[in-house]
Amino acid sequence: MPGAADTPSSPVSSAPHYTRSLFPQAPSFDLDTFSSQDFIVKDFIDSLTESTVPANRRSGPSAQPFDPRPLIRGFEHALKRLSDLSGDLERKEIELSANVRRAEAQHTSNAQSLAQKLDETIDSFRNLDASLNDVRGEENDFGGNAAIKIGERLEELDRQRVRAQDAKFLIQCWLEVSEKGELYLLEDMRRQASGDSKIRCAQIARQLLKISQRLDPGNWSQVHGRLKVVSGLNGVNGVNGSNGTHVSRHNTREIVEKFSETLEKDLLTQFDEFYRRANFEGMKDCATVLQDFGGGASVIGMFVNQHQFFIDRSQLITEEVGSDIDTWERLADPDADTPGVEPTLQSLIDEVKVVVQEESAIIKRAFPYYETVLGRFLQRVFQQSIQQRLEMVLNKANTISTLAFLRSLQASRSYVSALVDDLKAHGLTEHPDVLSTQTTLILDQQFDDLFVPYFVGSSYIEKEKRNLEELYSSLLFKFTVFHSRRRKVPTTFLASLAKSGSEMLASAKDAYVERLDSSDLAPQQKAMLLRVAGLKDTDSAKRQMEMEFSEQDGLLSSINAKRMLKWLAEAVGRSLELSGGNETPKDVSALLDLLLTHMGDLYIDTALDAANDAAAAQEHTKNEPDLSYLENLQSAITIMHLMLTCINTVLIPLAAANVTIRRDMEKMTNMAMNHMEDKVNILMHRTLDVTLTWVGKLLATQKRTDFRPKDDVHGGASSWMELLQTPTCLSIFNFLTRVHNLALGALSTSANLTTFLTELASGIRTLLLEHFKKFQVSAAGGILVTKDISKYNELLRSWELDPAFQPSLEVLTEIGNIFVIGPEALRERLRGKGGAPGGLWEKGDLRPYVLRREDVGSVGVQAILTTI
């Protein structure tokens, strides 16, 4: 009928669901409504409220009066329903409580029953233990001691039975071989598949050989087919012959030995079959038996020789050494990084690592004497596979260059050393435990044997020296040729020393040229050396030596010096890694001698000699001296510092283990450095002399009228007043500025620079003091004198002078003032000071300058002269 409520759908467990109708419907819910995790009390009350309000009252624009009756009826129904649910829950709770009480009672009963059974078991064990430990005397010998005695007796009887059976079987076999010449019993035992039977067969065969040696000595005393007479055997084990020995109708020794050989071959065949089927237990049984045949040498040899790794590698042993041309060129390039170990050798070593680790597990399972087998396997791997490939790689590298050989040797040794370390860390047959001492010694011995031939005596360090000599000679080739062309005519002792240095330079140059043109030098190495020297790989070295070289080729280069030290550091590091030990002090001493010879004598000394020659040539020049040789001095000092730092931080500390060699190295270094420093000092003294000589020549060009200017007809006094300095002063100023810049570039800011400039400033001051004694100065000329002196002071004060020397420059200022002030002012000035600051000069020293005043004949000046 219209307006009737629809049938409500099934409630959802998460929340009550109601079907909306025109008239209110009683809410429906159950226990699942309250057990849901999403249950919220507020939402539940809201749903009850909405379900009791008719739909026609909740819609429409006009509001009707509130009617509480639907809500009352709805909540009454909900309370009734909640009361019913509460009753249901109470009944379930009572039922569950009863079940819990019954379960607890059953658990208590079970625990008591189990405790009683445990007590009974403990009592039974105590009774049994007491019976076994019963010691009540001989009259009732029953219990544990009796059981032990019976067991020991049974074991003894069993051993006796086994020995009796073995003895019986051995006697049967001996009778069979000595009378019938056959070993049927042993043959039957050999054909059995069990490993125990083969072990027993081998033991009996060995015992038969001993019996044959004692009872049938005739077959053991034959030498080259003859029967050797044996005397002194009057009976062995109760067996007597006509000659005192048992005479057998058959050659028992030969029969037993043939049987043993057959047994050994069968065991080897069976071992191989087990190996192919990965039957490690069968392999172990065969290896155990074969241990009685020559200590297992045959089975060890078969296992090692027929290993698939050696078969595959024996076919690849003739494979050419790989790597592309670029790799070998980088290996021979001293400025390139080492490319690493040769690829084919690296592949072999990587494979060896995997194979040895895998085979060690097989060896341990297949051999009872696995350490011996692993030792033989490792020896074969190192002595055959790795050594042959290593020799091929090093021979190939030796045909490229000495440096390529040394780098290949270093990379190979490092990679093989890593292999040995990895094998030790793995543990091999002891994996994951530590490797045994015996196998560790084998690995170390094999590793040493691989590289011993390359370090015999001084062969290794000689290769390092030859490599550095070739590289240094190549790098300094242009420098050497350029300076060897300088003609030297010795006129002094120092010049004679310089000539001897040039002769050594020429000798080194000739030796290098002969080396380059030698047929023994590999083409790749020759090309590399020519590239280092900056030459073309077209003409011979002698022809290229006739080429013209630029001035730049004769200058020192800190870049080249750093390259030389880098090559030396590489050689030192390689020497420490490869040779090391007690030979290190001798090796670094040899490398120090090489460094001092090439970088010290042939490079720095030669450049200093050239600079000294250039300085000597400027001492008598008529033009302004060329001091450009000072530009090369900075490089020389820098290279000396680099070389000394390298020696003190790298080479000498490595010789600390040998005090004698260390002391010799320090002495050698000090002598070389003192020698070079002496040449630097000589050069700076010559520069000082050249500079002062030229300043003296410039001062000599000062005109007599420079300090007695006359008024210009047209301009009056303005022409000389506009002059800032005289031309002579400007010339000296410009020259000394250039000298200062060159000295600053050569010596940088250092104590040496301060000493040099202070000496130079002292000489210039002396020249100026003498210079102003020679000129008559007028009143107007005095102004020019002060301007010149002010310019000189400005220049000298801008230098890096010794602070103690600075006050002495005030002398020049005081001399300028003498020519400017009037007689009265001069008298007061001399009376007030009485001398120069610091007591550098007295009033009497000013007399020559006062005499050069133009008004010296005046009464005032004459009065001053009488006082000084």
Side-chain angles (χ1 to χ4, degrees), residues 183 209 220 239 326 383 403 431 454 580 602 624 735 830 863:
L183 288 172
L209 284 176
W220 288 81
V239 180
D326 180 65
Q383 294 176 6
L403 179 60
H431 181 75
Y454 306 105
L602 297 180
E624 180 178 330
F735 172 69
L830 293 179

Side-chain angles (χ1 to χ4, degrees), residues 143-213:
N145 291 337
I148 293 174
K149 292 179 180 179
I150 293 172
E152 293 176 352
R153 183 61 179 168
L154 288 176
E155 289 177 358
E156 179 65 24
L157 291 175
D158 183 67
R159 285 193 295 269
Q160 293 178 2
R161 182 185 63 82
V162 172
R163 285 197 299 268
Q165 289 178 350
D166 291 344
K168 177 183 177 182
F169 186 77
L170 182 62
I171 293 172
Q172 290 175 349
C173 292
W174 170 250
L175 293 176
E176 191 177 46
V177 70
S178 62
E179 295 179 0
K180 299 180 181 180
E182 299 291 341
L183 288 172
Y184 295 115
L185 295 176
L186 284 182
E187 288 290 345
D188 293 340
M189 185 182 295
R190 182 178 64 83
R191 294 189 183 95
Q192 296 179 10
S194 65
D196 294 337
S197 62
K198 287 184 170 56
I199 294 175
R200 188 182 177 201
C201 188
Q203 293 173 349
I204 293 175
R206 188 171 63 254
Q207 291 174 351
L208 287 176
L209 284 176
K210 295 180 180 179
I211 295 174
S212 173
Q213 188 175 8

Side-chain angles (χ1 to χ4, degrees), residues 108 316 405 524 592 619 621 629 638:
T108 304
L316 299 176
F405 172 83
Q524 296 91 334
L592 173 63
E619 290 180 351
T621 182
Y629 57 83
T638 301

Side-chain angles (χ1 to χ4, degrees), residues 107-119:
H107 172 72
T108 304
S109 175
N110 291 340
Q112 293 175 352
S113 176
L114 292 175
Q116 183 179 0
K117 290 182 180 181
L118 178 61
D119 293 338

Side-chain angles (χ1 to χ4, degrees), residues 523-567:
Q524 296 91 334
Q525 184 174 8
K526 181 178 180 180
M528 184 273 298
L529 293 178
L530 290 175
R531 184 186 61 78
V532 172
L535 303 176
K536 298 179 180 179
D537 190 11
T538 54
D539 301 329
S540 66
K542 291 183 178 179
R543 185 176 304 174
Q544 296 196 44
M545 191 177 65
E546 299 174 357
M547 297 169 53
E548 291 295 331
F549 297 103
S550 63
E551 291 288 338
Q552 193 66 28
D553 295 326
L555 299 180
L556 293 176
S557 171
S558 58
I559 297 177
N560 288 342
K562 291 178 181 179
R563 291 174 69 187
M564 296 172 72
L565 294 177
K566 177 185 175 183
W567 299 339

Side-chain angles (χ1 to χ4, degrees), residues 198 263-291 296-307 359 362-369 373:
K198 287 184 170 56
L263 177 61
E264 184 178 8
K265 291 179 181 178
D266 292 346
L267 288 171
L268 290 174
T269 303
Q270 191 174 8
F271 180 88
D272 186 59
E273 293 176 356
F274 287 149
Y275 178 66
R276 298 182 187 279
R277 296 199 300 265
N279 185 349
F280 301 113
E281 292 298 329
M283 292 172 63
K284 193 169 187 178
D285 292 339
C286 294
T288 303
V289 178
L290 289 169
Q291 190 176 10
S298 58
V299 67
I300 295 175
M302 187 190 73
F303 175 80
V304 173
N305 296 334
Q306 295 184 3
H307 197 280
E359 289 302 315
I362 297 175
I363 290 173
K364 184 172 184 178
R365 298 177 62 184
F367 291 91
Y369 40 93
V373 180

Side-chain angles (χ1 to χ4, degrees), residues 12 29 76 96 105 187 256-257 289-290 308 354 445 451 510 593 786 801 808 842:
V12 181
F29 49 85
E76 288 176 350
L96 291 174
E187 288 290 345
V256 176
E257 287 180 347
V289 178
L290 289 169
Q308 192 63 34
V354 175
Q445 184 62 40
F451 297 96
D510 296 338
D593 181 67
T786 56
L801 300 178
S808 66
E842 299 296 335

Side-chain angles (χ1 to χ4, degrees), residues 56 78 230 362 382 465 547 628 706 774 776 855:
N56 58 357
V230 179
I362 297 175
F382 277 85
K465 289 174 60 178
M547 297 169 53
S628 59
D706 283 347
K774 303 175 182 178
Q776 195 77 24
D855 58 349

